[in-house]
Tab-separated table of all heavy atoms in Angstrom:
chain	number	residue	atom	x	y	z
D	66	ALA	N	149.999	-91.406	103.793
D	66	ALA	CA	148.528	-91.477	103.817
D	66	ALA	C	148.007	-92.062	105.148
D	66	ALA	O	147.065	-91.536	105.740
D	66	ALA	CB	148.018	-92.273	102.644
D	67	ARG	N	148.649	-93.120	105.604
D	67	ARG	CA	148.199	-93.761	106.834
D	67	ARG	C	148.226	-92.780	108.007
D	67	ARG	O	147.277	-92.679	108.785
D	67	ARG	CB	149.060	-94.984	107.109
D	67	ARG	CG	148.718	-95.699	108.401
D	67	ARG	CD	149.675	-96.820	108.653
D	67	ARG	NE	149.408	-97.988	107.799
D	67	ARG	CZ	148.484	-98.914	108.086
D	67	ARG	NH1	147.744	-98.820	109.154
D	67	ARG	NH2	148.315	-99.942	107.277
D	68	GLU	N	149.346	-92.063	108.110
D	68	GLU	CA	149.481	-91.094	109.227
D	68	GLU	C	148.450	-90.000	109.105
D	68	GLU	O	147.916	-89.556	110.108
D	68	GLU	CB	150.886	-90.478	109.224
D	68	GLU	CG	152.010	-91.413	109.700
D	68	GLU	CD	152.273	-92.572	108.749
D	68	GLU	OE1	152.251	-92.329	107.509
D	68	GLU	OE2	152.523	-93.702	109.220
D	70	VAL	N	145.492	-90.150	107.759
D	70	VAL	CA	144.155	-90.680	108.148
D	70	VAL	C	144.091	-90.885	109.643
D	70	VAL	O	143.069	-90.576	110.287
D	70	VAL	CB	143.829	-91.993	107.369
D	70	VAL	CG1	142.553	-92.601	107.837
D	70	VAL	CG2	143.757	-91.709	105.869
D	71	ALA	N	145.175	-91.362	110.229
D	71	ALA	CA	145.196	-91.572	111.703
D	71	ALA	C	144.937	-90.253	112.406
D	71	ALA	O	144.170	-90.194	113.372
D	71	ALA	CB	146.529	-92.178	112.116
D	72	ALA	N	145.559	-89.179	111.902
D	72	ALA	CA	145.371	-87.867	112.515
D	72	ALA	C	143.934	-87.392	112.348
D	72	ALA	O	143.358	-86.787	113.275
D	72	ALA	CB	146.368	-86.868	111.882
D	74	VAL	N	141.160	-89.271	112.045
D	74	VAL	CA	140.196	-89.978	112.904
D	74	VAL	C	140.417	-89.685	114.380
D	74	VAL	O	139.510	-89.867	115.200
D	74	VAL	CB	140.163	-91.512	112.653
D	74	VAL	CG1	139.627	-91.825	111.274
D	74	VAL	CG2	141.482	-92.150	112.857
D	114	PHE	N	143.740	-100.772	102.204
D	114	PHE	CA	144.276	-101.478	103.390
D	114	PHE	C	144.657	-100.440	104.456
D	114	PHE	O	144.232	-100.516	105.605
D	114	PHE	CB	145.491	-102.316	102.973
D	114	PHE	CG	146.307	-102.844	104.144
D	114	PHE	CD1	145.712	-103.682	105.085
D	114	PHE	CD2	147.662	-102.504	104.308
D	114	PHE	CE1	146.449	-104.177	106.157
D	114	PHE	CE2	148.383	-103.009	105.369
D	114	PHE	CZ	147.793	-103.814	106.298
D	115	ALA	N	145.456	-99.442	104.060
D	115	ALA	CA	145.943	-98.469	105.055
D	115	ALA	C	144.800	-97.612	105.617
D	115	ALA	O	144.672	-97.486	106.852
D	115	ALA	CB	147.027	-97.598	104.400
D	116	VAL	N	143.993	-97.080	104.753
D	116	VAL	CA	142.916	-96.159	105.199
D	116	VAL	C	141.928	-96.936	106.085
D	116	VAL	O	141.570	-96.500	107.181
D	116	VAL	CB	142.185	-95.546	103.978
D	116	VAL	CG1	140.962	-94.748	104.396
D	116	VAL	CG2	143.128	-94.664	103.163
D	117	THR	N	141.514	-98.098	105.624
D	117	THR	CA	140.491	-98.853	106.374
D	117	THR	C	141.045	-99.294	107.732
D	117	THR	O	140.327	-99.222	108.749
D	117	THR	CB	140.037	-100.105	105.577
D	117	THR	OG1	139.676	-99.659	104.248
D	117	THR	CG2	138.861	-100.784	106.219
D	118	GLN	N	142.292	-99.712	107.769
D	118	GLN	CA	142.874	-100.169	109.045
D	118	GLN	C	142.833	-99.054	110.096
D	118	GLN	O	142.465	-99.279	111.234
D	118	GLN	CB	144.292	-100.657	108.825
D	118	GLN	CG	144.722	-101.677	109.845
D	118	GLN	CD	146.073	-102.283	109.502
D	118	GLN	OE1	146.979	-101.593	109.058
D	118	GLN	NE2	146.176	-103.576	109.680
D	119	GLU	N	143.171	-97.846	109.668
D	119	GLU	CA	143.160	-96.715	110.613
D	119	GLU	C	141.762	-96.377	111.064
D	119	GLU	O	141.530	-96.026	112.209
D	119	GLU	CB	143.847	-95.487	110.007
D	119	GLU	CG	145.352	-95.647	109.825
D	119	GLU	CD	146.066	-96.117	111.079
D	119	GLU	OE1	145.766	-95.599	112.179
D	119	GLU	OE2	146.922	-97.014	110.970
D	120	VAL	N	140.789	-96.492	110.138
D	120	VAL	CA	139.423	-96.071	110.444
D	120	VAL	C	138.666	-97.091	111.255
D	120	VAL	O	137.931	-96.751	112.209
D	120	VAL	CB	138.665	-95.721	109.122
D	120	VAL	CG1	137.196	-95.506	109.392
D	120	VAL	CG2	139.265	-94.476	108.451
D	121	VAL	N	138.831	-98.391	110.950
D	121	VAL	CA	137.979	-99.393	111.612
D	121	VAL	C	138.316	-99.625	113.083
D	121	VAL	O	137.464	-100.070	113.832
D	121	VAL	CB	137.927	-100.791	110.914
D	121	VAL	CG1	137.246	-100.695	109.557
D	121	VAL	CG2	139.250	-101.426	110.828
D	122	LYS	N	139.512	-99.242	113.486
D	122	LYS	CA	139.880	-99.431	114.911
D	122	LYS	C	138.876	-98.748	115.794
D	122	LYS	O	138.379	-99.321	116.779
D	122	LYS	CB	141.275	-98.843	115.190
D	122	LYS	CG	142.405	-99.686	114.625
D	122	LYS	CD	143.742	-98.986	114.849
D	122	LYS	CE	144.846	-99.647	114.056
D	122	LYS	NZ	146.066	-98.834	113.965
D	123	LYS	N	138.510	-97.523	115.431
D	123	LYS	CA	137.540	-96.765	116.250
D	123	LYS	C	136.129	-97.308	116.057
D	123	LYS	O	135.325	-97.262	116.994
D	123	LYS	CB	137.586	-95.272	115.887
D	123	LYS	CG	138.648	-94.532	116.677
D	123	LYS	CD	138.257	-93.047	116.796
D	123	LYS	CE	139.199	-92.319	117.712
D	123	LYS	NZ	138.981	-90.867	117.674
Side-chain angles (χ1 to χ4, degrees):
R67 177 184 284 277
E68 286 68 38
V70 174
V74 294
F114 168 60
V116 172
T117 308
Q118 206 172 41
E119 291 309 316
V120 171
V121 293
K122 286 176 192 165
K123 273 206 173 171

